[in-house]
Amino acid sequence: MIGVRNGARKRARLVALGAEVPERIVTNEDMAKMVDTSDEWIYSRTGIKERRFVAEDEAASDLAVRAGIKILAEAEMDPLEVDVLIVPTASPDHIFPATATLVANRIGAHRAAAFDILAGCTGFIYGLAQGTALIESGLAGNVLVLGAEALSKITDQTDRSTCILFGDAAAGAMLVAAPEDEVTGFLGFELGADGSGGQDLVVPAGGSRMPAKDGPYEAALSCIQMNGREVFKFATRVMVESCTKLLEALEMHVDEIDLLVAHQANQRIIDHAISRLGIPPEKVFNNLERYGNTSSASIPLAMLEAREAGMLSPGDMTLLVGFGAGLTWGSTVMRYEPT
Ligand code: ACO
């Protein structure tokens, strides 16, 4: 892309959503055959019933390509019109090249700048902020933000404390530049990071701290390791704090929110946060029961299914909030104005 700042004031408008999930369904009963657990334990602690796993020969980019093609179709856009492709992911195909470059090539977005965002499950919110900034500065016209995860590939399937939580998916949104007098778009973002909790959610090996070439390591070191209780406390705190700070900064009352879509990690975390925020359950859409935690794909996957369920309609004021590895968190308020 070539971006030249110009005088026209633009707003980022979210015009299309799309998602792809793998065919293979892994139920809690299947999990109980792999590790010492039960449907009752998993469902009561997390709200998850089943999740999807990619095939052995698939990686995050394979799901992202299929999701990206669907988003382009809904946006009625040629791939060559995409200026920037942002792929938030915690399970990229490789450390480099960026998964975004591989996806851009395969969907035909040959004009696009392409890069990944490594912000754990907050990646989609960070990606929306980046896309909005590129559009509203006048540097880009069309930005595809496409969360892509093959978390089953970096999860120790013998560790019952993590393997029951995560699933695979790709999902995202197309943002386009619109005249500022026509759309509200993204009203604001609250984003944060606290690396002091970095070790609470970490894949220890494979980077420059513990290089793969110095292995072989026990497989678990190349997988997600999590201090579940600390992450739980962190998540419940930041979800409430981030949304509260953002609504205050926007001088909005929580009653003005039509729909909340939160990162789909744990039903108990979401229930706790919405009760503290004063958002009634009927304004909250969840689908983690069927997909588990799909990290940076979870928010757009839930937005898409919220729309299919009639809970996300044009004009709706929507609050999105995420949290995850880093530790990171983020929220945004957006009016959904697809056309
Ligand atoms: N089945 C049965 N028992 C289990 C399982 C399991 N799958 N997993 C753990 N247990 C056992 C533990 O061994 C422990 O047994 P013990 O008391 O004999 O030692 C007991 O259950 C309680 O373990 P806790 O870890 O205290 O269980 P808790 O109630 O905290 O629930 C959970 C664990 C569900 C992981 C919870 O801590 C949680 O959801 N944390 C947040 C996780 C999260 O959201 N992570 C994603 C962040 S986003 C991202 O960026 C990836």
Side-chain angles (χ1 to χ4, degrees):
M1 62 155 262
I2 299 176
V4 178
R5 212 178 57 186
N6 59 35
R9 296 289 306 237
K10 298 289 186 188
R11 291 263 185 264
R13 181 207 289 264
L14 191 156
V15 291
L17 292 163
E20 176 75 14
V21 296
E23 278 174 27
R24 183 179 165 206
I25 298 173
V26 180
T27 64
N28 288 349
E29 287 75 16
D30 296 328
M31 280 285 161
K33 291 177 197 148
M34 293 155 61
V35 291
D36 181 13
T37 191
S38 64
D39 174 50
E40 195 283 326
W41 194 96
I42 299 171
Y43 188 66
S44 64
R45 292 291 214 294
T46 69
I48 299 166
K49 277 276 182 195
E50 59 189 44
R51 70 290 290 147
R52 305 288 183 110
F53 283 2
V54 288
E56 268 179 30
D57 60 352
E58 281 183 315
S61 67
D62 298 308
L63 294 177
V65 166
R66 298 198 286 272
I69 290 168
K70 290 181 188 172
I71 297 167
L72 285 166
E74 182 170 303
E76 298 181 2
M77 196 180 282
D78 186 282
L80 291 174
E81 293 177 73
V82 179
D83 295 311
V84 184
L85 172 55
I86 302 173
V87 173
T89 178
S91 49
D93 288 26
H94 313 283
I95 287 187
F96 67 82
T99 301
T101 66
L102 308 175
V103 176
N105 181 52
R106 285 173 58 194
I107 65 173
H110 301 301
R111 271 189 57 256
F115 60 93
D116 291 0
I117 289 183
L118 188 57
C121 306
T122 318
F124 185 69
I125 304 288
Y126 272 49
L128 289 178
Q130 184 69 61
T132 300
L134 282 161
I135 288 172
E136 299 196 354
S137 66
L139 291 183
N142 302 322
V143 180
L144 177 53
V145 185
L146 184 46
E149 303 290 2
L151 294 165
S152 64
K153 293 288 185 84
I154 59 160
T155 304
D156 178 358
Q157 301 297 348
T158 66
D159 173 9
R160 68 177 182 174
S161 68
T162 54
C163 70
I164 51 131
L165 298 173
F166 299 103
D168 303 335
M174 181 71 77
L175 308 185
V176 307
E180 72 169 345
D181 54 353
E182 284 180 20
V183 289
T184 310
F186 293 85
L187 277 68
F189 288 86
E190 200 279 327
L191 306 173
D194 177 8
S196 71
Q199 296 306 310
D200 287 333
L201 194 45
V202 60
V203 177
S208 56
R209 178 67 61 197
M210 200 183 282
K213 73 180 174 63
D214 291 351
Y217 297 111
E218 51 176 304
L221 287 173
S222 301
C223 294
I224 299 169
Q225 298 194 349
M226 185 180 67
N227 182 343
R229 281 188 195 173
E230 283 308 310
V231 175
F232 192 96
K233 280 191 277 181
F234 157 78
T236 43
R237 177 173 58 80
V238 296
M239 255 188 81
V240 177
E241 283 179 4
S242 182
C243 295
T244 304
K245 280 186 198 165
L246 181 60
L247 290 171
E248 275 174 16
L250 295 172
E251 298 182 357
M252 282 181 77
H253 192 269
V254 73
D255 290 350
E256 294 173 66
I257 298 298
D258 299 304
L259 173 70
L260 169 84
V261 177
H263 168 48
Q264 301 288 293
N266 185 314
Q267 191 64 48
R268 286 191 300 155
I269 293 174
I270 296 170
D271 289 346
H272 176 273
I274 62 169
S275 116
R276 292 274 308 279
L277 287 165
I279 299 181
E282 56 274 19
K283 286 188 173 182
V284 182
F285 183 84
N286 295 309
N287 61 3
L288 82 170
E289 180 171 330
R290 283 178 291 117
Y291 302 113
N293 178 347
T294 60
S295 193
S296 54
S298 89
I299 292 174
L301 178 59
M303 289 173 77
L304 180 71
E305 293 202 345
R307 191 178 69 182
E308 286 166 1
M311 287 179 67
L312 175 62
S313 305
D316 280 352
M317 199 59 88
T318 311
L319 174 58
L320 310 176
V321 57
F323 55 86
L327 299 168
T328 57
W329 64 89
S331 58
T332 182
V333 172
M334 172 204 86
R335 190 185 287 283
Y336 180 57
E337 298 149 304
T339 51

